[in-house]
Amino acid sequence: MDRKPRGDTSVASETFAAAHEWLEVLKHRSFDDAATVNEVIERFERAGVTPGVVAEHLADGGDALYTAARDGEGWTDAFGGDQAVALIAAEVSALMSHLVSRAASVRSRSVDALLDDFSAVTVASALGVSRQKVYDIAKSTHDRKYLETTPWRQQ
C-alpha cells in the first residue's frame, strides 16, 4: 500500500469548503443536529443542485421558478428536473417561513414597547387590531434567533 501522509488534504479541504458553502446558503434554517443538515445537503446533491443554484433562487424569492411554472410543460428541465425544483421551492418556502417568524418577533417587541407608553385600546386602534390581539402580540416570544439571523447579512 502506498502511504501518503496528509495526501488527502486537498480532498478534505474541498469537502470542508463545500460544506461551508452549503451552510452559508442554508443559514436561514435552524437545524437541531448535524445529521439533519447533512440529510438536507445530501438531498440537494443527489438531485444535482448546487449551493449556488439554491442561493440564486433564494435571492429572487423563487420568482424564476414561479415564472417558468406559469409557462407550461417541460419547464422544470431548465432547473434540473422535477425533484430539483421541488427541493429548491421547499427551500424558498423555508426562507419565507424564517422571514415571517422574524417579522413576528420584531412586531412583538415593538407592540410590547408601545404598551409602555399607550393603552391597549390606543395601540389596537393605531394597528387596526383588537385590544385582545394587542396583548397576544405583545406577549409572543421574542425569539432572538430570528432577530439575529439574516441570510443576506454577514454576522
Side-chain angles (χ1 to χ4, degrees):
M1 177 192 301
D2 291 333
R3 292 184 177 237
K4 296 181 182 175
R6 292 179 286 290
D8 62 347
T9 305
S10 65
V11 173
S13 62
E14 287 174 17
T15 302
F16 176 78
H20 179 70
E21 191 175 3
W22 274 115
L23 292 176
E24 280 298 304
V25 170
L26 301 175
K27 69 179 159 184
H28 58 278
R29 293 270 208 131
S30 58
F31 292 110
D32 294 330
D33 57 41
T36 305
V37 175
N38 290 333
E39 289 171 12
V40 170
I41 293 169
E42 286 172 10
R43 277 194 294 272
F44 278 122
E45 289 178 344
R46 277 194 308 267
V49 179
T50 65
V53 168
V54 175
E56 189 179 304
H57 290 286
L58 294 179
D60 81 353
D63 195 50
L65 293 175
Y66 173 75
T67 301
R70 290 184 323 190
D71 292 341
E73 288 189 38
W75 65 273
T76 62
D77 295 342
F79 301 100
D82 295 333
Q83 183 180 1
V85 168
L87 290 169
I88 295 166
E91 204 56 45
V92 170
S93 180
L95 172 61
M96 298 307 141
S97 293
H98 172 82
L99 295 176
V100 166
S101 294
R102 191 165 188 252
S105 286
V106 170
R107 183 181 187 201
S108 176
R109 290 192 68 183
S110 64
V111 168
D112 193 34
L114 284 170
L115 289 174
D116 289 341
D117 298 325
F118 303 99
S119 72
V121 172
T122 302
V123 173
S125 176
L127 299 179
V129 297
S130 70
R131 180 180 54 82
Q132 185 56 45
K133 185 65 176 175
V134 166
Y135 290 122
D136 291 343
I137 293 168
K139 65 182 179 179
S140 295
T141 304
H142 308 294
D143 194 336
R144 287 219 125 351
K145 147 182 96 173
Y146 291 116
L147 294 173
E148 295 170 357
T149 305
T150 308
W152 49 84
R153 183 178 66 215
Q154 297 295 334
Q155 299 293 331

